[in-house]
Amino acid sequence: MDYAASSDIAHRKITTLRLKEMKKAGIKITCLTAYDALISRILDESGIDVILVGDSLGNVFQGNDTTLPVTLEETIYHTKAVVRGSSRALVIADMPFMSFQVSPEEAFRNAGRVMKETGCSAVKLEGGKLVVDAIARMTEAGIPAMGHLGLTPQSINKFGTYKARGTNEEEADQILEDARLLEQAGVFAIVLEKIPAELGKRITESIEIPTIGIGAGPHCDGQILVYSDMLGLTIDFSPRFVRRYARLYDDIKDAVTRFSDDVRNSKFPTEQESY
Ligand code: KIV
């Protein structure tokens, strides 16, 4: 469907229901991450449908090697900022490592805190059948949950590698089965990370809820990227699935160098820039 022609959807506040309608209507869903109000506002005003406060903030914002150190308090802090910067997009908070694995009750309580304290519209949890009870508990109580299958970065120490998942039949069937279980438990959408395009297609066609791909091929109902990767702010991370739409690392470096040159050569500030 031509998105521009469907101006109704283009201007309406995005809800979890709207995402399901978009899948039905064949309108692709656009998603990016954000961790602060400044970027959130730019993404929102550019018409992005979903803003994920990913636990990738552990890498991007905090400079860690993995997402594991991110805490619930930090997730709440960043999600509050992103909610303040947005108005149309659906803001989803990523539940950090160990905030939902201990028990469905603890997961439910933590997700409730995130919703109550941040004003976000939904949470995301990594994992398949192990999180099904937690998701059912949340859905029942009115907390919309998004699933995340395929490469799940919080399990890096279990797998020991960030390579693609679902590349053999057994693992592919397991991921498909997990997608069905998550759907039955009540998730409103599922992120599929770094799996073969063919498996992305199979899952997308097998479930009624939207799939959002990151390195999961073109057949998913939507696509997500980490904002700093697609804007070229990160230069040392370039997996095949990242397309760079800008070169902000170079642009910022250039601007900072010119500022420093101007200051050092007494060219800034001028009389017009002074009081
Ligand atoms: O944390 C994150 O940014 C994510 C996306 C990559 C899906 O989970």
Side-chain angles (χ1 to χ4, degrees):
M1 183 191 275
D2 177 8
Y3 189 68
S6 60
S7 60
D8 181 34
I9 290 176
H11 292 103
R12 278 156 77 180
K13 167 94 185 128
I14 300 292
T15 61
T16 56
L17 175 66
R18 191 80 59 235
L19 296 184
K20 290 182 197 161
E21 289 172 356
M22 288 169 81
K23 171 168 180 139
K24 261 204 185 129
I27 300 168
K28 293 277 189 180
I29 300 163
T30 64
C31 320
L32 286 171
T33 67
Y35 318 106
D36 59 57
L38 180 72
I39 297 294
S40 169
R41 180 173 176 182
I42 299 172
L43 304 189
D44 193 81
E45 290 183 2
S46 308
I48 207 81
D49 297 316
V50 174
I51 302 177
L52 172 70
V53 188
D55 63 355
S56 50
L57 77 87
N59 309 99
V60 177
F61 189 88
Q62 299 174 336
N64 294 308
D65 288 339
T66 72
T67 59
L68 271 61
V70 176
T71 66
L72 193 67
E73 301 305 326
E74 288 162 351
T75 298
I76 290 171
Y77 174 87
H78 286 276
T79 306
K80 274 183 183 171
V82 169
V83 167
R84 283 195 287 264
S86 66
S87 58
R88 173 184 172 272
L90 183 86
V91 176
I92 303 173
D94 210 358
M95 295 298 288
F97 180 61
M98 291 311 289
S99 70
F100 62 90
Q101 288 92 342
V102 176
S103 70
E105 264 321 287
E106 191 169 310
F108 172 55
R109 204 170 304 115
N110 285 335
R113 258 198 80 191
V114 171
M115 297 287 291
K116 208 172 168 69
E117 293 178 32
T118 69
C120 72
S121 298
V123 297
K124 173 169 88 59
L125 284 77
E126 289 185 11
K129 63 174 180 297
L130 288 177
V131 299
V132 155
D133 289 344
I135 282 168
R137 184 83 179 85
M138 290 174 198
T139 311
E140 203 179 69
I143 300 175
M146 177 185 232
H148 184 156
L149 297 171
L151 174 65
T152 46
Q154 290 179 15
S155 306
I156 179 60
N157 291 312
K158 175 176 160 195
F159 292 104
T161 167
Y162 287 110
K163 77 176 177 49
R165 299 283 144 74
T167 51
N168 63 59
E169 204 178 315
E170 193 189 342
E171 206 177 47
D173 288 348
Q174 184 59 59
I175 295 172
L176 176 58
E177 175 60 15
D178 280 343
R180 291 198 174 114
L181 289 174
L182 290 180
E183 181 178 36
Q184 280 162 21
V187 295
F188 66 87
I190 303 178
V191 168
L192 298 175
E193 181 162 353
K194 219 172 176 185
I195 58 169
E198 201 41 47
L199 178 57
K201 182 169 188 272
R202 244 174 98 198
I203 297 172
T204 301
E205 289 172 354
S206 304
I207 58 178
E208 307 264 308
I209 51 170
T211 56
I212 308 296
I214 172 162
H219 309 289
C220 295
D221 300 302
Q223 298 291 330
I224 182 162
L225 286 175
V226 168
Y227 93 89
S228 47
D229 295 336
M230 60 84 74
L231 291 179
L233 271 168
T234 38
I235 50 163
D236 43 11
F237 179 67
S238 34
R240 182 193 310 191
F241 62 77
V242 171
R243 185 180 294 178
R244 298 214 193 281
Y245 287 85
R247 302 263 161 208
L248 292 194
Y249 183 92
D250 294 334
D251 290 349
I252 292 174
K253 237 179 118 177
D254 177 58
V256 172
T257 306
R258 286 188 292 114
F259 167 74
S260 297
D261 284 349
D262 285 351
V263 172
R264 288 181 187 130
N265 294 311
S266 301
K267 290 188 175 158
F268 176 82
T270 60
E271 222 176 282
Q272 290 76 33
E273 288 161 331
S274 305
Y275 295 94

mmCIF file of all heavy atoms in Angstrom, residues 160-204:
data_model
loop_
_atom_site.group_PDB
_atom_site.id
_atom_site.type_symbol
_atom_site.label_atom_id
_atom_site.label_comp_id
_atom_site.label_asym_id
_atom_site.label_seq_id
_atom_site.Cartn_x
_atom_site.Cartn_y
_atom_site.Cartn_z
ATOM 1 N N GLY A 160 27.984 -17.439 23.125
ATOM 2 C CA GLY A 160 29.387 -17.104 22.885
ATOM 3 C C GLY A 160 29.667 -16.452 21.543
ATOM 4 O O GLY A 160 30.816 -16.267 21.165
ATOM 5 N N THR A 161 28.628 -16.104 20.793
ATOM 6 C CA THR A 161 28.827 -15.477 19.479
ATOM 7 C C THR A 161 27.567 -14.705 19.072
ATOM 8 O O THR A 161 26.453 -15.043 19.508
ATOM 9 C CB THR A 161 29.115 -16.557 18.401
ATOM 10 O OG1 THR A 161 28.990 -15.959 17.118
ATOM 11 C CG2 THR A 161 28.157 -17.730 18.480
ATOM 12 N N TYR A 162 27.774 -13.678 18.240
ATOM 13 C CA TYR A 162 26.648 -12.903 17.713
ATOM 14 C C TYR A 162 26.283 -13.358 16.298
ATOM 15 O O TYR A 162 25.683 -12.614 15.534
ATOM 16 C CB TYR A 162 26.993 -11.399 17.705
ATOM 17 C CG TYR A 162 27.000 -10.759 19.078
ATOM 18 C CD1 TYR A 162 28.201 -10.352 19.671
ATOM 19 C CD2 TYR A 162 25.820 -10.558 19.780
ATOM 20 C CE1 TYR A 162 28.217 -9.758 20.928
ATOM 21 C CE2 TYR A 162 25.826 -9.956 21.039
ATOM 22 C CZ TYR A 162 27.020 -9.559 21.608
ATOM 23 O OH TYR A 162 27.022 -8.970 22.849
ATOM 24 N N LYS A 163 26.665 -14.602 15.941
ATOM 25 C CA LYS A 163 26.368 -15.036 14.562
ATOM 26 C C LYS A 163 24.865 -15.302 14.386
ATOM 27 O O LYS A 163 24.128 -15.434 15.378
ATOM 28 C CB LYS A 163 27.220 -16.239 14.184
ATOM 29 C CG LYS A 163 26.793 -17.569 14.736
ATOM 30 C CD LYS A 163 27.722 -18.646 14.145
ATOM 31 C CE LYS A 163 27.450 -20.028 14.674
ATOM 32 N NZ LYS A 163 26.092 -20.517 14.679
ATOM 33 N N ALA A 164 24.461 -15.375 13.112
ATOM 34 C CA ALA A 164 23.036 -15.548 12.789
ATOM 35 C C ALA A 164 22.470 -16.811 13.433
ATOM 36 O O ALA A 164 23.190 -17.804 13.612
ATOM 37 C CB ALA A 164 22.855 -15.603 11.280
ATOM 38 N N ARG A 165 21.197 -16.766 13.781
ATOM 39 C CA ARG A 165 20.508 -17.910 14.392
ATOM 40 C C ARG A 165 19.505 -18.497 13.390
ATOM 41 O O ARG A 165 19.124 -17.829 12.418
ATOM 42 C CB ARG A 165 19.747 -17.476 15.652
ATOM 43 C CG ARG A 165 20.616 -16.907 16.740
ATOM 44 C CD ARG A 165 21.358 -17.994 17.515
ATOM 45 N NE ARG A 165 22.694 -17.543 17.899
ATOM 46 C CZ ARG A 165 22.973 -16.668 18.851
ATOM 47 N NH1 ARG A 165 22.018 -16.118 19.546
ATOM 48 N NH2 ARG A 165 24.214 -16.343 19.117
ATOM 49 N N GLY A 166 19.082 -19.709 13.684
ATOM 50 C CA GLY A 166 18.070 -20.356 12.832
ATOM 51 C C GLY A 166 18.616 -20.764 11.482
ATOM 52 O O GLY A 166 17.872 -20.833 10.498
ATOM 53 N N THR A 167 19.910 -21.036 11.426
ATOM 54 C CA THR A 167 20.512 -21.386 10.136
ATOM 55 C C THR A 167 20.457 -22.898 9.888
ATOM 56 O O THR A 167 20.775 -23.349 8.801
ATOM 57 C CB THR A 167 21.979 -20.891 10.058
ATOM 58 O OG1 THR A 167 22.656 -21.343 11.235
ATOM 59 C CG2 THR A 167 22.051 -19.384 9.980
ATOM 60 N N ASN A 168 20.114 -23.688 10.918
ATOM 61 C CA ASN A 168 19.859 -25.110 10.649
ATOM 62 C C ASN A 168 18.381 -25.394 10.932
ATOM 63 O O ASN A 168 17.705 -24.607 11.616
ATOM 64 C CB ASN A 168 20.794 -26.019 11.469
ATOM 65 C CG ASN A 168 20.576 -25.859 12.967
ATOM 66 O OD1 ASN A 168 19.481 -26.079 13.486
ATOM 67 N ND2 ASN A 168 21.624 -25.455 13.678
ATOM 68 N N GLU A 169 17.907 -26.512 10.393
ATOM 69 C CA GLU A 169 16.468 -26.790 10.423
ATOM 70 C C GLU A 169 15.909 -26.862 11.849
ATOM 71 O O GLU A 169 14.845 -26.315 12.143
ATOM 72 C CB GLU A 169 16.209 -28.093 9.685
ATOM 73 C CG GLU A 169 14.793 -28.189 9.150
ATOM 74 C CD GLU A 169 14.583 -29.484 8.385
ATOM 75 O OE1 GLU A 169 15.468 -29.845 7.575
ATOM 76 O OE2 GLU A 169 13.559 -30.137 8.635
ATOM 77 N N GLU A 170 16.695 -27.502 12.715
ATOM 78 C CA GLU A 170 16.209 -27.699 14.087
ATOM 79 C C GLU A 170 16.014 -26.345 14.789
ATOM 80 O O GLU A 170 14.975 -26.085 15.411
ATOM 81 C CB GLU A 170 17.227 -28.559 14.842
ATOM 82 C CG GLU A 170 16.700 -29.101 16.153
ATOM 83 C CD GLU A 170 17.813 -29.746 16.965
ATOM 84 O OE1 GLU A 170 18.880 -30.082 16.395
ATOM 85 O OE2 GLU A 170 17.621 -29.888 18.178
ATOM 86 N N GLU A 171 17.038 -25.476 14.653
ATOM 87 C CA GLU A 171 16.949 -24.168 15.317
ATOM 88 C C GLU A 171 15.861 -23.304 14.669
ATOM 89 O O GLU A 171 15.136 -22.573 15.353
ATOM 90 C CB GLU A 171 18.310 -23.452 15.277
ATOM 91 C CG GLU A 171 18.467 -22.472 16.419
ATOM 92 C CD GLU A 171 19.823 -21.793 16.444
ATOM 93 O OE1 GLU A 171 20.295 -21.319 15.382
ATOM 94 O OE2 GLU A 171 20.412 -21.722 17.535
ATOM 95 N N ALA A 172 15.743 -23.409 13.346
ATOM 96 C CA ALA A 172 14.714 -22.633 12.633
ATOM 97 C C ALA A 172 13.320 -23.051 13.114
ATOM 98 O O ALA A 172 12.466 -22.199 13.393
ATOM 99 C CB ALA A 172 14.848 -22.846 11.133
ATOM 100 N N ASP A 173 13.102 -24.373 13.229
ATOM 101 C CA ASP A 173 11.792 -24.867 13.684
ATOM 102 C C ASP A 173 11.501 -24.404 15.112
ATOM 103 O O ASP A 173 10.371 -24.067 15.460
ATOM 104 C CB ASP A 173 11.746 -26.401 13.635
ATOM 105 C CG ASP A 173 11.675 -26.913 12.193
ATOM 106 O OD1 ASP A 173 11.425 -26.083 11.289
ATOM 107 O OD2 ASP A 173 11.895 -28.112 11.979
ATOM 108 N N GLN A 174 12.555 -24.371 15.950
ATOM 109 C CA GLN A 174 12.395 -23.929 17.334
ATOM 110 C C GLN A 174 11.982 -22.454 17.392
ATOM 111 O O GLN A 174 11.104 -22.066 18.171
ATOM 112 C CB GLN A 174 13.712 -24.135 18.104
ATOM 113 C CG GLN A 174 13.630 -23.785 19.579
ATOM 114 C CD GLN A 174 12.584 -24.612 20.313
ATOM 115 O OE1 GLN A 174 12.668 -25.836 20.327
ATOM 116 N NE2 GLN A 174 11.580 -23.944 20.887
ATOM 117 N N ILE A 175 12.606 -21.639 16.532
ATOM 118 C CA ILE A 175 12.280 -20.201 16.525
ATOM 119 C C ILE A 175 10.830 -19.998 16.050
ATOM 120 O O ILE A 175 10.082 -19.194 16.622
ATOM 121 C CB ILE A 175 13.288 -19.409 15.654
ATOM 122 C CG1 ILE A 175 14.698 -19.495 16.284
ATOM 123 C CG2 ILE A 175 12.873 -17.945 15.507
ATOM 124 C CD1 ILE A 175 15.813 -18.919 15.433
ATOM 125 N N LEU A 176 10.440 -20.761 15.037
ATOM 126 C CA LEU A 176 9.053 -20.664 14.543
ATOM 127 C C LEU A 176 8.063 -21.089 15.637
ATOM 128 O O LEU A 176 7.044 -20.422 15.872
ATOM 129 C CB LEU A 176 8.881 -21.534 13.287
ATOM 130 C CG LEU A 176 7.467 -21.617 12.703
ATOM 131 C CD1 LEU A 176 6.932 -20.231 12.341
ATOM 132 C CD2 LEU A 176 7.443 -22.518 11.472
ATOM 133 N N GLU A 177 8.397 -22.165 16.328
ATOM 134 C CA GLU A 177 7.544 -22.652 17.416
ATOM 135 C C GLU A 177 7.447 -21.584 18.526
ATOM 136 O O GLU A 177 6.359 -21.312 19.054
ATOM 137 C CB GLU A 177 8.148 -23.974 17.949
ATOM 138 C CG GLU A 177 7.476 -24.583 19.170
ATOM 139 C CD GLU A 177 6.013 -24.936 18.938
ATOM 140 O OE1 GLU A 177 5.582 -24.979 17.773
ATOM 141 O OE2 GLU A 177 5.294 -25.119 19.944
ATOM 142 N N ASP A 178 8.596 -20.983 18.859
ATOM 143 C CA ASP A 178 8.605 -19.917 19.878
ATOM 144 C C ASP A 178 7.725 -18.739 19.447
ATOM 145 O O ASP A 178 7.019 -18.147 20.271
ATOM 146 C CB ASP A 178 10.040 -19.420 20.123
ATOM 147 C CG ASP A 178 10.823 -20.348 21.049
ATOM 148 O OD1 ASP A 178 10.191 -21.169 21.754
ATOM 149 O OD2 ASP A 178 12.072 -20.254 21.076
ATOM 150 N N ALA A 179 7.777 -18.414 18.156
ATOM 151 C CA ALA A 179 6.960 -17.290 17.654
ATOM 152 C C ALA A 179 5.477 -17.597 17.866
ATOM 153 O O ALA A 179 4.700 -16.727 18.289
ATOM 154 C CB ALA A 179 7.258 -17.040 16.181
ATOM 155 N N ARG A 180 5.102 -18.850 17.587
ATOM 156 C CA ARG A 180 3.692 -19.234 17.770
ATOM 157 C C ARG A 180 3.300 -19.176 19.252
ATOM 158 O O ARG A 180 2.215 -18.707 19.612
ATOM 159 C CB ARG A 180 3.463 -20.641 17.231
ATOM 160 C CG ARG A 180 3.568 -20.692 15.707
ATOM 161 C CD ARG A 180 2.926 -21.965 15.174
ATOM 162 N NE ARG A 180 2.894 -21.973 13.725
ATOM 163 C CZ ARG A 180 3.581 -22.836 12.959
ATOM 164 N NH1 ARG A 180 4.338 -23.759 13.508
ATOM 165 N NH2 ARG A 180 3.493 -22.774 11.646
ATOM 166 N N LEU A 181 4.221 -19.630 20.118
ATOM 167 C CA LEU A 181 3.934 -19.606 21.568
ATOM 168 C C LEU A 181 3.792 -18.180 22.074
ATOM 169 O O LEU A 181 2.907 -17.872 22.881
ATOM 170 C CB LEU A 181 5.061 -20.312 22.337
ATOM 171 C CG LEU A 181 5.150 -21.836 22.188
ATOM 172 C CD1 LEU A 181 6.391 -22.372 22.887
ATOM 173 C CD2 LEU A 181 3.893 -22.494 22.762
ATOM 174 N N LEU A 182 4.675 -17.307 21.591
ATOM 175 C CA LEU A 182 4.604 -15.896 22.025
ATOM 176 C C LEU A 182 3.278 -15.276 21.572
ATOM 177 O O LEU A 182 2.639 -14.535 22.316
ATOM 178 C CB LEU A 182 5.778 -15.093 21.451
ATOM 179 C CG LEU A 182 7.178 -15.370 22.004
ATOM 180 C CD1 LEU A 182 8.210 -14.475 21.323
ATOM 181 C CD2 LEU A 182 7.242 -15.166 23.517
ATOM 182 N N GLU A 183 2.892 -15.598 20.341
ATOM 183 C CA GLU A 183 1.618 -15.060 19.830
ATOM 184 C C GLU A 183 0.452 -15.535 20.708
ATOM 185 O O GLU A 183 -0.400 -14.739 21.102
ATOM 186 C CB GLU A 183 1.397 -15.470 18.375
ATOM 187 C CG GLU A 183 0.096 -14.894 17.824
ATOM 188 C CD GLU A 183 -0.139 -15.232 16.364
ATOM 189 O OE1 GLU A 183 0.222 -16.339 15.931
ATOM 190 O OE2 GLU A 183 -0.703 -14.374 15.655
ATOM 191 N N GLN A 184 0.464 -16.831 21.018
ATOM 192 C CA GLN A 184 -0.617 -17.371 21.874
ATOM 193 C C GLN A 184 -0.616 -16.712 23.248
ATOM 194 O O GLN A 184 -1.662 -16.494 23.854
ATOM 195 C CB GLN A 184 -0.444 -18.877 22.054
ATOM 196 C CG GLN A 184 -0.951 -19.702 20.881
ATOM 197 C CD GLN A 184 -0.383 -21.115 20.889
ATOM 198 O OE1 GLN A 184 0.054 -21.610 21.933
ATOM 199 N NE2 GLN A 184 -0.365 -21.754 19.736
ATOM 200 N N ALA A 185 0.582 -16.390 23.751
ATOM 201 C CA ALA A 185 0.681 -15.775 25.089
ATOM 202 C C ALA A 185 0.198 -14.330 25.076
ATOM 203 O O ALA A 185 -0.082 -13.755 26.122
ATOM 204 C CB ALA A 185 2.116 -15.852 25.593
ATOM 205 N N GLY A 186 0.148 -13.718 23.879
ATOM 206 C CA GLY A 186 -0.447 -12.383 23.777
ATOM 207 C C GLY A 186 0.457 -11.258 23.315
ATOM 208 O O GLY A 186 0.050 -10.099 23.394
ATOM 209 N N VAL A 187 1.686 -11.551 22.833
ATOM 210 C CA VAL A 187 2.515 -10.427 22.373
ATOM 211 C C VAL A 187 1.825 -9.747 21.188
ATOM 212 O O VAL A 187 1.099 -10.383 20.433
ATOM 213 C CB VAL A 187 3.962 -10.852 21.973
ATOM 214 C CG1 VAL A 187 4.747 -11.372 23.155
ATOM 215 C CG2 VAL A 187 3.963 -11.832 20.825
ATOM 216 N N PHE A 188 2.086 -8.433 21.022
ATOM 217 C CA PHE A 188 1.436 -7.712 19.921
ATOM 218 C C PHE A 188 2.325 -7.646 18.692
ATOM 219 O O PHE A 188 1.877 -7.272 17.605
ATOM 220 C CB PHE A 188 1.016 -6.299 20.367
ATOM 221 C CG PHE A 188 2.183 -5.403 20.695
ATOM 222 C CD1 PHE A 188 2.808 -4.650 19.714
ATOM 223 C CD2 PHE A 188 2.673 -5.322 21.996
ATOM 224 C CE1 PHE A 188 3.881 -3.824 20.019
ATOM 225 C CE2 PHE A 188 3.745 -4.519 22.311
ATOM 226 C CZ PHE A 188 4.359 -3.771 21.313
ATOM 227 N N ALA A 189 3.609 -8.009 18.843
ATOM 228 C CA ALA A 189 4.556 -8.000 17.719
ATOM 229 C C ALA A 189 5.810 -8.741 18.178
ATOM 230 O O ALA A 189 6.015 -8.942 19.387
ATOM 231 C CB ALA A 189 4.914 -6.574 17.319
ATOM 232 N N ILE A 190 6.618 -9.162 17.205
ATOM 233 C CA ILE A 190 7.857 -9.871 17.555
ATOM 234 C C ILE A 190 9.022 -9.305 16.740
ATOM 235 O O ILE A 190 8.935 -9.194 15.512
ATOM 236 C CB ILE A 190 7.744 -11.391 17.265
ATOM 237 C CG1 ILE A 190 6.567 -12.014 18.018
ATOM 238 C CG2 ILE A 190 9.051 -12.112 17.635
ATOM 239 C CD1 ILE A 190 6.356 -13.506 17.734
ATOM 240 N N VAL A 191 10.110 -8.954 17.434
ATOM 241 C CA VAL A 191 11.356 -8.596 16.746
ATOM 242 C C VAL A 191 12.054 -9.892 16.355
ATOM 243 O O VAL A 191 12.179 -10.815 17.170
ATOM 244 C CB VAL A 191 12.287 -7.766 17.674
ATOM 245 C CG1 VAL A 191 13.691 -7.657 17.079
ATOM 246 C CG2 VAL A 191 11.707 -6.375 17.910
ATOM 247 N N LEU A 192 12.503 -9.970 15.099
ATOM 248 C CA LEU A 192 13.278 -11.124 14.629
ATOM 249 C C LEU A 192 14.662 -10.613 14.278
ATOM 250 O O LEU A 192 14.812 -9.770 13.382
ATOM 251 C CB LEU A 192 12.620 -11.732 13.386
ATOM 252 C CG LEU A 192 11.204 -12.287 13.575
ATOM 253 C CD1 LEU A 192 10.637 -12.750 12.239
ATOM 254 C CD2 LEU A 192 11.207 -13.438 14.596
ATOM 255 N N GLU A 193 15.661 -11.078 15.015
ATOM 256 C CA GLU A 193 17.014 -10.537 14.814
ATOM 257 C C GLU A 193 17.947 -11.575 14.195
ATOM 258 O O GLU A 193 18.068 -12.705 14.685
ATOM 259 C CB GLU A 193 17.580 -10.047 16.164
ATOM 260 C CG GLU A 193 18.982 -9.454 16.015
ATOM 261 C CD GLU A 193 19.412 -8.588 17.196
ATOM 262 O OE1 GLU A 193 18.594 -8.324 18.100
ATOM 263 O OE2 GLU A 193 20.585 -8.169 17.188
ATOM 264 N N LYS A 194 18.604 -11.168 13.128
ATOM 265 C CA LYS A 194 19.682 -11.922 12.484
ATOM 266 C C LYS A 194 19.335 -13.401 12.252
ATOM 267 O O LYS A 194 19.965 -14.295 12.825
ATOM 268 C CB LYS A 194 20.963 -11.781 13.320
ATOM 269 C CG LYS A 194 22.197 -11.642 12.424
ATOM 270 C CD LYS A 194 23.418 -11.300 13.224
ATOM 271 C CE LYS A 194 24.657 -11.265 12.354
ATOM 272 N NZ LYS A 194 25.866 -11.049 13.109
ATOM 273 N N ILE A 195 18.337 -13.607 11.431
ATOM 274 C CA ILE A 195 17.954 -14.975 11.024
ATOM 275 C C ILE A 195 17.857 -14.969 9.496
ATOM 276 O O ILE A 195 17.719 -13.901 8.877
ATOM 277 C CB ILE A 195 16.598 -15.418 11.646
ATOM 278 C CG1 ILE A 195 15.465 -14.445 11.256
ATOM 279 C CG2 ILE A 195 16.691 -15.562 13.158
ATOM 280 C CD1 ILE A 195 14.070 -14.960 11.596
ATOM 281 N N PRO A 196 17.903 -16.127 8.848
ATOM 282 C CA PRO A 196 17.786 -16.160 7.383
ATOM 283 C C PRO A 196 16.479 -15.524 6.901
ATOM 284 O O PRO A 196 15.429 -15.679 7.551
ATOM 285 C CB PRO A 196 17.827 -17.657 7.061
ATOM 286 C CG PRO A 196 18.535 -18.280 8.215
ATOM 287 C CD PRO A 196 18.142 -17.467 9.420
ATOM 288 N N ALA A 197 16.551 -14.842 5.761
ATOM 289 C CA ALA A 197 15.369 -14.158 5.211
ATOM 290 C C ALA A 197 14.213 -15.140 5.009
ATOM 291 O O ALA A 197 13.043 -14.789 5.232
ATOM 292 C CB ALA A 197 15.732 -13.487 3.890
ATOM 293 N N GLU A 198 14.548 -16.363 4.605
ATOM 294 C CA GLU A 198 13.506 -17.361 4.348
ATOM 295 C C GLU A 198 12.739 -17.703 5.633
ATOM 296 O O GLU A 198 11.524 -17.870 5.624
ATOM 297 C CB GLU A 198 14.181 -18.611 3.745
ATOM 298 C CG GLU A 198 13.275 -19.530 2.970
ATOM 299 C CD GLU A 198 12.257 -18.832 2.058
ATOM 300 O OE1 GLU A 198 12.654 -17.910 1.307
ATOM 301 O OE2 GLU A 198 11.069 -19.204 2.126
ATOM 302 N N LEU A 199 13.488 -17.776 6.755
ATOM 303 C CA LEU A 199 12.836 -18.048 8.044
ATOM 304 C C LEU A 199 11.991 -16.834 8.469
ATOM 305 O O LEU A 199 10.878 -16.989 8.995
ATOM 306 C CB LEU A 199 13.887 -18.390 9.110
ATOM 307 C CG LEU A 199 13.368 -18.660 10.522
ATOM 308 C CD1 LEU A 199 12.343 -19.789 10.554
ATOM 309 C CD2 LEU A 199 14.531 -18.964 11.476
ATOM 310 N N GLY A 200 12.506 -15.626 8.212
ATOM 311 C CA GLY A 200 11.737 -14.406 8.503
ATOM 312 C C GLY A 200 10.402 -14.442 7.766
ATOM 313 O O GLY A 200 9.353 -14.082 8.318
ATOM 314 N N LYS A 201 10.446 -14.904 6.529
ATOM 315 C CA LYS A 201 9.230 -14.990 5.699
ATOM 316 C C LYS A 201 8.270 -16.035 6.276
ATOM 317 O O LYS A 201 7.066 -15.762 6.437
ATOM 318 C CB LYS A 201 9.641 -15.376 4.278
ATOM 319 C CG LYS A 201 8.530 -15.457 3.268
ATOM 320 C CD LYS A 201 9.138 -15.577 1.863
ATOM 321 C CE LYS A 201 8.088 -15.473 0.784
ATOM 322 N NZ LYS A 201 7.478 -16.729 0.439
ATOM 323 N N ARG A 202 8.812 -17.195 6.616
ATOM 324 C CA ARG A 202 7.976 -18.283 7.150
ATOM 325 C C ARG A 202 7.236 -17.841 8.407
ATOM 326 O O ARG A 202 6.039 -18.059 8.572
ATOM 327 C CB ARG A 202 8.883 -19.467 7.518
ATOM 328 C CG ARG A 202 8.636 -20.717 6.720
ATOM 329 C CD ARG A 202 9.693 -21.744 7.074
ATOM 330 N NE ARG A 202 9.252 -22.709 8.046
ATOM 331 C CZ ARG A 202 10.083 -23.483 8.778
ATOM 332 N NH1 ARG A 202 11.384 -23.360 8.654
ATOM 333 N NH2 ARG A 202 9.597 -24.354 9.628
ATOM 334 N N ILE A 203 7.996 -17.180 9.310
ATOM 335 C CA ILE A 203 7.383 -16.736 10.575
ATOM 336 C C ILE A 203 6.330 -15.667 10.294
ATOM 337 O O ILE A 203 5.204 -15.718 10.811
ATOM 338 C CB ILE A 203 8.459 -16.222 11.560
ATOM 339 C CG1 ILE A 203 9.423 -17.354 11.932
ATOM 340 C CG2 ILE A 203 7.818 -15.616 12.799
ATOM 341 C CD1 ILE A 203 10.630 -16.928 12.735
ATOM 342 N N THR A 204 6.687 -14.706 9.447
ATOM 343 C CA THR A 204 5.771 -13.593 9.133
ATOM 344 C C THR A 204 4.454 -14.120 8.567
ATOM 345 O O THR A 204 3.369 -13.609 8.883
ATOM 346 C CB THR A 204 6.457 -12.620 8.148
ATOM 347 O OG1 THR A 204 7.659 -12.138 8.766
ATOM 348 C CG2 THR A 204 5.564 -11.445 7.793
#
